[in-house]
Amino acid sequence: MAYTTSRIELPAMTPGSGGRHLVVHRFGQLGARPKVYLQAALHANELPGAMALHHLLPMLLKADAAGRMRGEVVVVPTVNPIGLSQLVGNRHLGRYEQLGRDNFNRNWLDLAPAVAERVGERLGADAAANVARVREAALAALGELHPLNELQTLRVEVLKLSIDADVVLDLHCDLDALLHLFISRRDWPGAAEVLAADLGAEATLYNDPYPQSSTFVAANGALWAKLADRFPAAALPQACLAVTVEYRGQQDVNHALGAADAARLMRFLQRRGAVAGRPGPLPALKAEATPIAGMDRGYCPCSGMLVYRVAKGERVRKGQVICEVIDPSDPRGPAARTPMRAGGDGLLFARQVDGTLAWPGKGAFSIAGPKPLAHRVGLGSLDD
Ligand SMILES: [Zn+2]
């Protein structure tokens, strides 16, 4: 049995408050391959992924005790104790850090320049040797950083856990949504397609060719793509499948979903060879991947009450009214309603329902469409 659990301490930010910490579980032998890294609740008030891990952890404990771990699996059930503590006005506020208003899933380090500096010259024709060199250099670069505050410390320490993994799954959720994935085009078809099938994703959206944003997943996955772009003569595989898994909506925390999601994660771990056992045949894919540039996003044009006309999961047509913003002080009935229409055909996979108040620019819905939309191209990748 190789299971260990440990704590990562974060610096105390105010006198008398003590310091927060993360709990890390490791299964299998240190350094065994494949290495899979799983974390949940980076945005703090997104707990369906933590619920899936709640059901997965005892399964991994059992597998470890029975000697069935083949690779190494690292699990951080709640990766953001800073965000977890943000209780304001009897509400739990996640997503943004209150100290600097930073989105918890942005501004993660891009290690590509530091790795290029260290080992770029030595990357040659031996892919396995290159992968080992890159991982070593990335860990060394992280080891030389000296973060000061708790958020910086969290980001550096978490990357130390994930940066050398073969698979990184960052478990998030939307507000009211179907299970969907944000991936890199470089992983589809291929590793991400297997993941989408095993997890039962209803929609998969790809960044083309890889995320340009500074999300946690980009820090882990795009590292390889950026190095491959920079050193085209070197044999550099996409050595890390890094995916943002959106486990439906914020309220979807229950035993039925948690247990089913854990079983699907275990099946994927078996298929990847991290845990011994037969995963069974790969389930049929529920949806082909679609480009993020084909994802229509509805933003409220004005303030008022937000009311939906369409349920999540429905196929919609361009121009169809998805929701309305209603001016409560306008006495004209239907004329007081400003319709918000679909900008393209596709699957309404998420509704950003977090209260019924609309304000200008508030996100209201997301539609996965098969083709890039003129009004979406060039806006950069959106991956939570
Ligand atoms: Zn999130």
Side-chain angles (χ1 to χ4, degrees):
M1 180 159 171
Y3 167 72
T4 61
T5 183
S6 58
R7 280 166 57 137
I8 295 173
E9 306 292 337
L10 302 178
M13 292 294 284
T14 51
S17 68
R20 289 183 258 263
H21 67 270
L22 288 84
V23 175
V24 181
H25 301 281
R26 287 178 183 272
F27 303 88
Q29 298 295 331
L30 190 67
R33 295 283 167 182
K35 176 180 175 180
V36 180
Y37 175 79
L38 301 166
Q39 70 174 33
L42 178 54
H43 274 134
N45 58 353
E46 299 180 354
L47 294 173
M51 190 62 182
L53 296 180
H54 165 71
H55 281 272
L56 182 66
L57 284 165
M59 297 164 78
L60 288 169
L61 276 175
K62 206 170 157 190
D64 195 282
R68 289 194 287 113
M69 297 304 299
R70 295 289 176 266
E72 185 185 3
V73 178
V74 179
V75 181
V76 183
T78 54
V79 74
N80 184 359
I82 305 167
L84 280 177
S85 74
Q86 292 181 166
L87 305 178
V88 181
N90 273 320
R91 284 280 181 128
H92 179 205
L93 301 185
R95 195 166 187 88
Y96 300 97
E97 194 212 16
Q98 306 246 301
L99 179 70
R101 302 193 180 180
D102 203 354
N103 184 323
F104 285 116
N105 196 22
R106 296 294 185 278
N107 295 319
W108 285 78
L109 275 174
D110 174 7
L111 287 165
V115 171
E117 179 103 347
R118 281 160 193 272
V119 296
E121 305 274 289
R122 290 192 282 134
L123 298 175
D126 184 341
N130 290 342
V131 169
R133 281 191 188 110
V134 167
R135 286 176 174 156
E136 197 182 331
L139 284 167
L142 287 167
E144 283 181 11
L145 294 171
H146 299 287
L148 292 174
N149 73 27
E150 61 178 348
L151 180 56
Q152 291 168 353
T153 304
L154 182 145
R155 286 179 171 150
V156 170
E157 292 304 317
V158 166
L159 277 178
K160 285 181 188 170
L161 299 175
S162 67
I163 199 71
D164 63 343
D166 300 277
V167 177
V168 169
L169 301 184
D170 189 15
L171 313 183
H172 288 246
C173 70
D174 208 307
L175 291 159
D176 176 32
L178 305 175
L179 172 53
H180 59 284
L181 311 179
F182 288 108
I183 65 164
S184 160
R185 177 86 196 242
R186 297 170 66 104
D187 295 317
W188 189 287
E193 192 174 356
V194 173
L195 177 73
D198 261 332
L199 264 49
E202 311 262 6
T204 297
L205 297 111
Y206 61 80
N207 291 279
D208 198 3
Y210 52 82
Q212 305 299 311
S213 55
S214 53
T215 58
F216 173 72
V217 150
N220 289 282
L223 168 68
W224 297 94
K226 287 175 183 171
L227 291 170
D229 285 350
R230 186 153 167 186
F231 302 102
L236 266 175
Q238 180 62 37
C240 176
L241 169 69
V243 174
T244 306
V245 180
E246 300 279 352
Y247 269 125
R248 310 178 190 85
Q250 248 174 359
Q251 304 303 317
D252 293 323
V253 179
N254 59 60
H255 283 297
L257 285 174
D261 287 335
R264 294 179 187 120
L265 282 168
M266 181 56 97
R267 179 168 68 189
F268 174 72
L269 292 175
Q270 289 177 331
R271 202 174 308 283
R272 288 291 303 218
V275 181
R278 293 174 183 217
L282 188 67
L285 203 58
K286 290 190 175 175
E288 279 298 319
T290 56
I292 281 188
M295 178 174 80
D296 182 48
R297 286 265 288 164
Y299 295 98
C300 298
C302 53
S303 68
M305 301 180 289
L306 182 57
V307 177
Y308 288 86
R309 291 283 197 179
V310 181
K312 75 179 171 207
E314 285 190 30
R315 298 243 155 229
V316 298
R317 307 287 300 181
K318 183 178 178 180
Q320 184 177 343
V321 175
I322 305 299
C323 53
E324 296 161 334
V325 180
I326 301 175
D327 178 353
S329 62
D330 187 329
R332 297 173 299 153
R337 303 169 192 161
T338 303
M340 293 178 60
R341 298 175 188 278
D345 297 351
L347 175 70
L348 182 75
F349 70 92
R351 308 194 309 178
Q352 278 75 43
V353 192
D354 56 347
T356 50
L357 183 69
W359 56 86
K362 178 190 158 34
F365 60 81
S366 304
I367 296 166
K371 288 191 209 120
L373 299 165
H375 67 282
R376 294 290 311 165
V377 173
L379 289 179
S381 55
L382 267 177
D383 44 358
D384 214 6

